[in-house]
Amino acid sequence: MKTKIVVIVGPTAVGKSDFAVKYATDNNGEVISADSRQVYIGLDIGTGKITEDEMRGVPHHLLDVASPQEKFNVEKFKNLAQQAITDIVSRGKLPIICGGTGFYIDALVNNISYPHVPHNERLRNEIENKSASDLWNILSSLDPEYAHGLNNSERNNGHRLVRSIEIAKALGKVPKIDKSDSPYDIKWINLNLPTAELRERINKRLIKRIENGMIEEVENLHKAGLSWQRMDELGLEYRYIAQYLQNLISKEEMITKLQFEIWHYARRQILWFKRYNNN
């Protein structure tokens, strides 16, 4: 028999964390976070990490499991999440995966193994600020068969394109991903909101986080030894607040850039999760 799990997905600011807590409370569940930045210790306000009060007694897994100095990856997530699922089920509870990092969720629920290719920082610095279409063109020149096989959502996923280019450069092509049948009986819950409402939520939440100390959080992380370069790699809030703290942009520019980038990130999430219908 396959293990029963619930997977709650959706764009940033849609309300996944609150929904997951209520669902877990009603269904004797525990939550496993599927967020590529909430795994890091100290990245709290900027990632919207759920607080202990907000958990309302529901156990949460895969929060604060890595130093922000280290590079966490999909394989580490998959292994830790599998362990958490086994632990939760052994205690007669329901595992609830909740998060917005589609790449991590896909790897877990479809039991996908990816090629072990280390990050190439020099290459990443050269290409990570390019547009998705430029990245796809680079990938197409390296491995046209793989590039042309990507769907529209995948072609617009900058993170995935950068990683694919990295793998193609190292191995000559992107190998076929080792994917087996899912070991899980999955109930999908895909949350969404009307466009105008979601965009308003994103903007209001950003201002609230700034008022609640997000800039100070980034400043303290840097004082504790986290480099500006690493902040840039962590993206979104950490990238642009770091630029502001280095006097590279004004506070107004920081807010405008973040509103724009977070909204576009939400749109990419919506496209990614379209494949998952509520059931």
Side-chain angles (χ1 to χ4, degrees), residues 242-253:
Q243 290 180 11
Y244 164 64
L245 291 173
Q246 294 173 85
N247 296 315
L248 299 175
I249 56 175
S250 68
K251 189 173 183 179
E252 292 72 22
E253 287 175 311

Side-chain angles (χ1 to χ4, degrees), residues 149-163:
L150 297 176
N151 61 37
N152 286 335
S153 174
E154 292 163 338
R155 291 187 187 198
N156 285 295
N157 186 319
H159 176 80
R160 176 164 184 169
L161 291 169
V162 167
R163 181 59 178 157

Side-chain angles (χ1 to χ4, degrees), residues 139-150:
L139 180 59
S140 184
S141 69
L142 295 167
D143 190 340
E145 181 181 357
Y146 176 81
H148 286 273
L150 297 176

Side-chain angles (χ1 to χ4, degrees), residues 41-55:
I41 299 165
L43 272 64
D44 301 329
I45 301 172
T47 65
K49 193 179 294 176
I50 191 169
T51 66
E52 192 169 341
D53 286 345
E54 290 167 342
M55 291 178 189

